Amino acid sequence: MKIFQKFMSFILVIAILCSFAFAANYTDENKITHLEAVNVLTGLGIMEGYPDGSMKPDGDVTRAEMAKLISVIMNDGKDIGSMYSGACVFADAKTHWAAGYIAYCHAEGVIDGRNETTFDPNGKVTVVEATKMVLGALGYDSQNEGFIGATWAGKVLDVANDTDILKNTDNVASAANASRQIIAQMLVNALEEKTVYYAGGSTITV
C-alpha cells in the first residue's frame, strides 16, 4: 500500500510564498523562461547563480549538482553535505566536493550509481534521470516501482506522468540533458507534490 502525505513543510510554504516577491536580478534574466521557479529556489537558498551574477539557465546540471539540490531541498534548505562526506560508497566520488550529498541521497534511496562502485558525479543528468531522483526524493521506491533494469526509464515516466513533476517543463526529450531552469521547475513542482510511504497491498491517498 502506498500512502501519500504532503511533502512541503509549513516552513517551506511560508518561504515559497515570500520568495514570490524575491527578484534574483540575474544578469541573464532575459534568458530565463522559468523565472518564477528559479526565483523560488534562489529565495529558498537552494539554487545559486554564478560569481559573475549570471544564472546560465540553459546550462547542463551534473549528477553531483543534482544530488546537492535534492539533499538541500529534502532538509528544508539546510546544507548537510559535511555531515555525510565520509560515508560515500562510490569509489569515483569519495573525494568529490559533492561526496556528502551523494552519500545522503544514496542512503535515502533517492539516487543510484551507474553501478555499485561508480556514480559518475561529473556526468550530465538527463531529464529522465532527474525525474527518477525527484521521485526518489518523494519516497517512490525503485524496486517497488520497477525503476531498475532495462525498462527503468519507461517506468519512471509512467509514474511521473501521474504527478505534476514534469508540468511546464517544455516537453523536453527525456533523454536530453536537463538544464538548470528545467531542474528548477521540476523541484518547485515537487514541492507541491505528496510523499509516498509503502505499507503493503493496495494504494490509498491520505
Side-chain angles (χ1 to χ4, degrees):
M1 177 171 61
K2 275 189 291 195
I3 301 175
F4 298 85
Q5 294 183 345
K6 201 66 178 174
F7 179 45
M8 194 167 16
S9 70
F10 177 74
I11 293 174
L12 279 176
V13 173
I14 298 302
I16 284 180
L17 289 175
C18 292
S19 69
F20 283 124
F22 177 85
N25 294 321
Y26 291 113
T27 56
D28 53 358
E29 185 175 298
N30 63 323
K31 298 179 181 178
I32 304 176
T33 305
H34 300 272
L35 184 59
E36 186 175 277
V38 169
N39 279 342
V40 167
L41 293 192
T42 302
L44 291 173
I46 292 167
M47 181 170 277
E48 300 175 338
Y50 291 89
D52 64 359
S54 67
M55 165 50 66
K56 296 182 174 54
D58 294 319
D60 294 333
V61 176
T62 66
R63 287 167 55 80
E65 289 170 338
M66 191 68 188
K68 178 179 180 180
L69 289 169
I70 287 181
S71 66
V72 172
I73 209 169
M74 286 179 69
N75 286 275
D76 287 354
K78 297 185 183 74
D79 190 324
I80 48 79
S82 61
M83 296 170 59
Y84 293 85
S85 58
C88 187
V89 300
F90 299 106
D92 66 338
K94 286 181 181 293
T95 60
H96 195 276
W97 66 263
Y101 308 115
I102 294 167
Y104 171 80
C105 288
H106 184 251
E108 291 294 313
V110 173
I111 59 176
D112 298 308
R114 299 296 191 194
N115 54 51
E116 291 185 1
T117 60
T118 303
F119 182 73
D120 187 20
N122 297 321
K124 304 298 189 296
V125 70
T126 65
V127 171
V128 70
E129 287 174 340
T131 303
K132 179 183 176 182
M133 294 177 188
V134 172
L135 288 173
L138 291 172
Y140 288 89
D141 181 80
S142 291
Q143 288 280 54
N144 286 347
E145 303 298 337
F147 297 167
I148 56 175
T151 61
W152 72 270
K155 299 285 188 180
V156 165
L157 295 176
D158 286 344
V159 173
N161 287 332
D162 289 332
T163 73
D164 285 330
I165 290 173
L166 296 175
K167 181 179 68 176
N168 298 328
T169 55
D170 308 333
N171 294 316
V172 177
S174 62
N177 292 340
S179 70
R180 285 165 58 78
Q181 64 177 329
I182 290 297
I183 292 298
Q185 185 64 60
M186 290 174 64
L187 291 176
V188 167
N189 292 343
L191 285 173
E192 299 175 354
E193 280 296 325
K194 296 175 181 179
T195 48
V196 173
Y197 299 87
Y198 295 84
S202 59
T203 302
I204 63 171
T205 302
V206 178

